[in-house]
């Protein structure tokens, strides 16, 4: 951080002490409503800077390094473009600014997956989910704005003020499909401006998105070295955004760590990421909604580091799911969103974005909507049957459910009969007289049909060892 301050102060001097802004502040941006708003930048030391926006006028004096910051009082929703003026030794005008909801989306390639790819992929098999291959050509909604983080530029002061864009044309073609379709759903349902910030790197593990200091503060990682370059992307792609007020985070990552056959270690890495990002933004309750990695044939992949089996991905899903025990989190299932087990980058990104938006609309914006498929809670056994309780069990179908397996004390699983009855799922098999454990979609190639209001249940097993191993605080 000290290096960054020195770098920025050098920039201010080498630019004849002109006022400069960070990349994240530009024309076309969306500012977060209902929160105090930071406007900051760089100039000569002891220079007077004035910011005018939405009827507010705030002044400050730069510090000895030329850094300055003013805080605007919380802003109300503004769907009509406004202008911001920043004045000092020079004058900057930012135009076409809206006030609404802002989200940061991050992760690896499935989050980075650009809108332009939709025009080139084969037609998906599940026609019920649609196929917006021509979405970029049709996108004309000026109430959605996008900011694509450039890793090499984000830390540098900006004099062009064009880094935000309206979500259309070439800017949209390069933007995260998941992020855009999330914004499209939220904007349509709320009728307010939505700004999306995408900061994702293909192939990235989770560790580079977390500072080394954050790992040091988690007991689980004491006395062990954390690999995969911790902090590498955090310092250049996350921390520089942290003064910019947002509503919450979207996260789609995990494939790289799954290839390493991680289990509870990934749960703790996600815990550190959630807590440290919330701390960086100074809000301990910022929503964090994330994506179960999609089905993939991990057991068919060769690895020099670990042995990958048919249990590798279900174990990883279990690790991901532990984060649901933390406040203000939500996880969507993608068990039905891959047409090909050999495709690490499945289509249906529009449905991933929509499902994330359902969590946000319900939990962050208090809309009375269905937002999650069934999530397993607990089990009891009686008369040779397993009686399972779920959150969000909305199914009224009396038809048999597929995808469940059941085992007795010998641990040998067989296919099971399952049906919803009296608010529970009753699971049994004629082959198992005294069941001990139940699993659902516990395979890297899930085909179960257990849904609640058209949303798939999360895979699970009733003998989940992480329930007692993982500590949320």
């Amino acid at each position: 951080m000290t290096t960054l301050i020195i770098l920025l102060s050098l920039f201010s001097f080498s630019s004849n002490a002109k006022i400069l802004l960070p990349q994240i502040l530009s024309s076309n941006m969306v500012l977060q409503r209902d929160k105090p708003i930071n406007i900051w930048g760089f100039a000569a030391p002891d220079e007077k800077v004035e910011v005018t926006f939405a009827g507010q006028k705030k002044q400050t004096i730069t510090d000895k390094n030329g850094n300055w910051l003013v805080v605007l009082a919380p802003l109300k929703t503004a769907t009509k473009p406004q202008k911001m003026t920043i004045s000092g030794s020079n004058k900057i005008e930012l135009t076409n600014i809206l006030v609404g909801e802002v989200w940061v989306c991050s992760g690896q390639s499935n989050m980075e997956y650009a809108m332009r790819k939709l025009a080139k992929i084969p037609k998906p098999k599940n026609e019920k989910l649609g196929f917006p291959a021509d979405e970029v050509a049709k996108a004309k909604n000026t109430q959605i704005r996008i900011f694509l983080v450039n890793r090499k530029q984000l830390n540098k002061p900006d004099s062009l003020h064009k880094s935000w864009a309206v979500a259309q044309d070439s800017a949209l073609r390069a933007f995260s499909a998941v992020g855009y379709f999330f914004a499209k759903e939220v904007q349509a349902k709320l009728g307010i401006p939505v700004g999306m910030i995408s900061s994702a790197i293909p192939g990235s593990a989770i560790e580079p998105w977390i500072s080394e200091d954050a790992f040091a503060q988690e007991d689980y990682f004491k006395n062990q070295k954390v690999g995969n370059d911790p902090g590498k992307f955090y310092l250049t792609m996350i921390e520089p955004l942290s003064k910019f007020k947002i509503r919450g985070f979207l996260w789609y990552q995990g494939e790289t760590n799954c290839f390493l056959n991680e289990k509870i270690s990934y749960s703790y890495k996600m815990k550190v990421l959630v807590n440290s990002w919330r701390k960086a933004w100074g809000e301990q309750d910022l929503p964090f909604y994330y994506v179960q990695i999609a089905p993939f044939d991990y057991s068919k992949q060769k690895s020099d580091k670990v042995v990958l089996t048919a249990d590798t991905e279900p174990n990883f899903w279990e690790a991901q799911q532990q984060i649901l025990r933390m406040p203000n989190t939500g996880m969507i299932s993608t068990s039905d969103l891959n047409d090909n087990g050999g495709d690490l980058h499945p289509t249906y990104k529009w449905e991933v974005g929509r499902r994330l938006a359902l969590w946000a609309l319900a939990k962050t914006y208090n809309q009375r909507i269905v937002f999650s498929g069934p999530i397993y809670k607990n089990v009891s056994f009686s008369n040779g049957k397993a009686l399972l309780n779920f959150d969000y069990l909305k199914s009224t179908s009396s038809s048999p459910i597929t995808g469940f397996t059941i085992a007795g004390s010998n641990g040998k699983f067989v296919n099971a009969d399952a049906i919803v009855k009296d608010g529970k799922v009753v699971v049994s098999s004629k082959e198992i007289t005294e069941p001990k454990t139940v699993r659902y979609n516990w395979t890297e190639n899930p085909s179960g049909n257990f849904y609640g209001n058209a949303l798939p249940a999360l895979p699970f097993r009733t003998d989940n060892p992480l329930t007692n191993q993982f500590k949320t605080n």
Side-chain angles (χ1 to χ4, degrees):
M1 191 67 178
T2 304
T3 305
L4 176 60
I5 292 173
I6 295 172
L7 175 66
L8 297 178
S9 61
L10 287 174
F11 265 105
S12 65
F13 286 121
S14 63
S15 303
N16 297 320
K18 281 186 177 181
I19 297 175
L20 290 171
L21 299 176
Q23 298 279 333
I24 191 63
L25 298 177
S26 86
S27 295
N28 301 315
M29 66 180 167
V30 176
L31 294 174
Q32 177 60 50
R33 63 178 180 170
D34 302 332
K35 294 184 181 184
I37 295 298
N38 298 319
I39 304 296
W40 72 101
F42 329 103
D46 299 317
E47 181 172 349
K48 179 181 176 182
V49 177
E50 182 176 272
V51 176
T52 304
F53 183 72
Q56 299 186 49
K57 185 178 290 188
K58 297 291 179 74
Q59 298 176 341
T60 190
I61 304 293
T62 61
D63 66 17
K64 63 181 180 180
N65 291 315
N67 296 296
W68 59 268
L69 169 106
V70 303
V71 181
L72 300 176
L75 303 164
K76 293 183 178 180
T77 304
T79 58
K80 294 182 179 180
Q82 300 180 75
K83 181 174 71 173
M84 178 181 293
T85 303
I86 301 105
S87 302
S89 60
N90 58 307
K91 184 177 180 181
I92 297 172
E93 287 189 351
L94 305 182
T95 60
N96 200 20
I97 298 170
L98 305 179
V99 181
E101 294 294 295
V102 183
W103 290 79
V104 168
C105 52
S106 185
Q108 59 182 110
S109 53
N110 276 309
M111 181 61 89
E112 185 266 352
Y113 191 101
M115 289 288 290
R116 64 174 175 269
K117 295 182 180 180
L118 299 182
K120 301 176 182 178
I121 56 179
K123 185 178 180 181
K125 293 179 181 178
N126 190 341
E127 295 183 356
K128 293 180 180 178
L129 297 177
F131 182 29
D134 59 348
E135 183 66 32
V136 173
K138 296 193 316 188
K140 305 294 180 189
N141 189 345
T142 60
Q143 295 289 295
I144 300 175
R145 307 294 176 80
I146 52 179
F147 179 97
L148 184 60
V149 169
N150 181 319
R151 178 184 167 198
K152 295 180 179 179
Q153 296 295 323
L154 189 63
N155 263 338
K156 296 179 181 178
D158 175 38
S159 59
L160 299 178
H161 319 306
K162 294 179 179 179
S163 45
W164 279 87
V166 176
Q168 59 189 26
D169 303 328
S170 60
L172 183 56
R173 277 194 286 275
F175 197 73
S176 163
V178 169
Y180 169 76
F181 284 107
F182 171 90
K184 183 181 179 183
E185 186 75 11
V186 171
Q187 201 285 318
K189 293 294 189 295
L190 300 184
I192 61 171
V194 176
M196 299 301 298
I197 301 168
S198 177
S199 186
I201 293 283
S204 58
I206 191 173
E207 294 90 339
W209 298 101
I210 306 166
S211 72
E212 286 193 83
D213 290 345
F215 279 116
Q217 294 167 30
E218 169 56 53
D219 287 344
Y220 182 87
F221 295 105
K222 287 184 177 171
N223 304 317
Q224 65 170 287
K225 181 171 171 38
V226 178
N228 289 331
D229 293 322
K232 181 179 179 180
F233 301 140
Y234 176 81
L235 293 172
T236 55
M237 299 182 69
I238 297 298
E239 188 179 60
L241 301 170
S242 60
K243 285 196 187 82
F244 195 83
K245 291 296 182 180
I246 62 171
R247 181 60 71 194
F249 305 105
L250 307 178
W251 178 251
Y252 192 170
Q253 189 277 338
E255 296 86 354
T256 294
N257 294 84
C258 189
F259 274 114
L260 298 174
N261 208 12
E262 289 201 52
K263 301 181 183 70
I264 193 170
S265 60
Y266 189 80
S267 303
Y268 277 106
K269 288 168 186 175
M270 275 198 76
K271 173 189 172 183
V272 174
L273 182 139
V274 173
N275 285 336
S276 64
W277 284 19
R278 286 172 169 172
K279 183 178 179 181
W281 265 264
E283 297 182 62
Q284 289 304 308
D285 61 348
L286 283 175
F288 188 96
Y289 303 132
Y290 63 106
V291 183
Q292 167 201 315
I293 61 170
F296 178 71
D297 296 333
Y298 285 92
S299 64
K300 297 179 181 179
Q301 312 307 309
K302 294 182 179 179
S303 172
D304 297 332
K305 299 179 180 178
V306 295
V307 177
L308 301 173
T309 70
D311 280 344
T312 293
E313 187 166 29
N315 280 326
F316 192 83
W317 289 337
E318 195 170 67
Q320 286 186 297
Q321 194 169 338
Q322 297 309 303
I323 301 305
L324 284 176
R325 293 160 56 188
M326 297 177 67
N328 264 6
T329 58
M331 174 177 168
I332 69 159
S333 174
T334 57
S335 57
D336 59 340
L337 297 183
N338 198 351
D339 292 340
N340 174 11
D343 187 359
L344 195 60
H345 304 103
T347 55
Y348 303 110
K349 293 295 185 285
W350 52 93
E351 179 64 10
V352 173
R354 188 187 76 88
R355 289 180 184 179
L356 286 168
L358 294 179
W359 271 92
L361 288 166
K363 291 298 190 178
T364 302
Y365 300 116
N366 302 313
Q367 303 274 302
R368 293 193 173 187
I369 60 170
V370 175
F371 60 94
S372 175
I375 298 179
Y376 168 73
K377 285 203 306 187
N378 53 50
V379 64
S380 60
F381 298 95
S382 176
N383 299 321
K385 299 180 187 298
L387 309 176
L388 283 72
N389 290 308
F390 291 82
D391 287 323
Y392 319 123
L393 178 60
K394 302 289 185 181
S395 176
T396 57
S397 171
S398 59
S399 58
I401 302 169
T402 61
F404 279 90
T405 57
I406 195 167
S409 55
N410 66 358
K412 182 180 179 181
F413 283 87
V414 300
N415 290 333
D417 299 318
I419 193 167
V420 176
K421 186 177 180 181
D422 299 328
K424 300 178 185 292
V425 176
V426 182
V427 183
S428 62
S429 170
K430 293 178 181 178
E431 300 177 50
I432 308 292
T433 56
E434 292 188 26
K436 299 294 183 184
T437 54
V438 175
R439 294 178 175 180
Y440 173 70
N441 266 354
W442 193 262
T443 167
E444 63 186 21
N445 296 299
S447 59
N449 66 351
F450 184 29
Y451 282 69
N453 282 337
L455 293 169
L458 289 176
F460 69 91
R461 56 178 169 172
T462 58
D463 55 338
N464 176 353
L466 303 191
T467 302
N468 294 323
Q469 295 173 14
F470 179 68
K471 308 299 180 186
T472 58
N473 50 34

